[in-house]
Every structure is written in structure tokens, then in C-alpha cells.
Amino acid sequence: YQNFVNKLWNAARFVLMNVTIPNLQVAKATRRLIGDKLNLADEWILSRLATTIGKARKAIDSYRFNEYAHHLYQFTWHEFCDWYIEMSKLSLNSGVESERRATEEVLATVLENILRLLHPVMPFVTEEIWQVLRERLGQSQQQTIMLQAYPRPTAEWIKLELEERIGYLMEVVRAIRNLRSEMNCPPSKGV
């Protein structure tokens, strides 16, 4: 899990480098994101976050700690780090201020929830990232992640149809990448 910690650390650095909203309060952003018009990638990651929170809580309640860790690992590494961060770069670099701001709020909200979800199994790493995130967002009054509420799924975020559509898109991209690899076609070469 050394690579997982490194992946989480790099994702946090990406968020910290790209969130420019001063004094962003994630709790208020969470309420605001429910009513905002978001792009598909933002809606998808919020839906996946809510679904993952539900699965994690269910696994913890039934003492299935391996499932708990598995759900958080899959969401953090494969969905947030591998897919959403890449998708978010489109909005962050689009030049449309409202779209950039919404994506920044989603990035900060998802990272904060990931840290609170992972804290029971990774207390030292999550505490360090939490402290840096709080300082960067101008919220040094919240002293420790241990005192934060454990995340609850936001039902308004869950959009199973959207999750299926994005899942299909991800499978298409994977198939293309596999085909390119099998045919020894370098990524720089046009198809």
C-alpha cells in the first residue's frame, strides 16, 4: 500500500495546486453542489462518492473491514485519481470561470470526504493531508480530522444511470488502450 499512499498524496497535491477559491468551506459547498448545474464528470464523481460512502458504512456496520478497505481503495485509486482527476483538467483549463469554480468545489469536497473515509485505516497520512488542506483553504480553526463527522451519503448526488453511462465510456477507453498496446501503437501516433 505504499503506492496507494503515494497516489493519495499526489492527488492531494493536484487538488491543492488547482483549488484557488479562498476560504472554501466544504460543508457549504456540499449543500451548494446539490442544486448547481454540474458537468457530467462532476456529477459522476459525486454519485460515485455517495455510493462508495454507502458501501463503506454498510461494510463497517457488518464488521467486514476487508470490504471497507477494498471499496475505499477502488474509489480513491481507480475512480478519483485515475479517471476524475484527468476529467477535471478539462474544466479547470476551459477558461469558463463558473465551470472551473464548480470543479474546484467538487475536487475539494471529494478529497475531504476521502480523507474522512480513510482516516480510520490511515490516520497519520490523512491527518497530515487534512492539515495542509485546511490551511490552504483558510480554515485552520478545524484542528484535527479526528473531530470531524464520518461522511454520510448524499442521496441527491446518486445517479445510477449516469454511473452506468460513464462506466461504459471508461470501458471503451480501456478497450482502445488495450488494442493500441496489443498492436504496439505508441500513444503519440495517431490512429
Side-chain angles (χ1 to χ4, degrees):
Y1 289 94
Q2 176 182 347
N3 292 339
F4 178 74
V5 173
N6 190 46
K7 191 83 160 176
L8 178 62
W9 192 266
N10 287 336
R13 285 182 46 218
F14 176 82
V15 172
L16 291 169
M17 287 184 335
N18 286 287
V19 174
T20 60
I21 304 169
N23 298 321
L24 173 66
Q25 294 181 350
V26 173
K28 288 182 182 176
T30 300
R31 287 191 293 276
R32 209 171 32 252
L33 289 172
I34 291 171
D36 275 2
K37 177 74 174 142
L38 301 173
N39 64 37
L40 287 177
D42 293 342
E43 287 183 10
W44 169 76
I45 198 65
L46 290 173
S47 180
R48 290 300 306 138
L49 173 65
T51 302
T52 301
I53 291 170
K55 288 178 181 178
R57 290 185 76 92
K58 186 176 177 183
I60 283 288
D61 290 343
S62 58
Y63 300 101
R64 294 188 178 127
F65 302 114
N66 62 326
E67 285 181 25
Y68 169 75
H70 175 75
H71 292 310
L72 299 182
Y73 179 91
Q74 292 298 319
F75 174 75
T76 302
W77 186 302
H78 298 293
E79 294 173 4
F80 181 66
C81 294
D82 284 353
W83 288 96
Y84 179 69
I85 285 181
E86 291 303 316
M87 290 181 208
S88 72
K89 291 175 183 177
L90 295 171
S91 297
L92 294 173
N93 299 322
S94 71
V96 179
E97 188 59 33
S98 61
E99 194 172 314
R100 178 181 175 81
R101 183 177 176 92
T103 298
E104 287 180 17
E105 289 181 353
V106 171
L107 278 166
T109 299
V110 174
L111 178 62
E112 184 173 295
N113 278 278
I114 286 172
L115 294 175
R116 289 190 287 149
L117 286 165
L118 287 172
H119 186 68
V121 292
M122 298 173 58
F124 301 109
V125 173
T126 55
E127 182 69 43
E128 180 64 24
I129 296 172
W130 174 269
Q131 294 296 331
V132 174
L133 181 64
R134 296 288 94 206
E135 183 180 316
R136 175 74 166 88
L137 297 178
Q139 299 176 0
S140 57
Q141 72 272 15
Q142 295 178 340
Q143 299 190 0
T144 180
I145 193 173
M146 289 187 298
L147 300 177
Q148 303 307 307
Y150 195 77
R152 293 195 176 280
T154 305
E156 293 87 353
W157 286 349
I158 297 176
K159 298 180 179 172
L160 297 178
E161 183 181 315
L162 178 63
E163 288 185 34
E164 288 178 22
R165 287 175 47 204
I166 298 294
Y168 178 75
L169 175 66
M170 290 165 54
E171 288 301 316
V172 169
V173 171
R174 280 189 197 108
I176 292 169
R177 287 178 180 165
N178 289 342
L179 186 58
R180 289 179 72 102
S181 176
E182 290 171 9
M183 303 301 279
N184 293 322
C185 182
S188 60
K189 186 176 180 185
V191 178

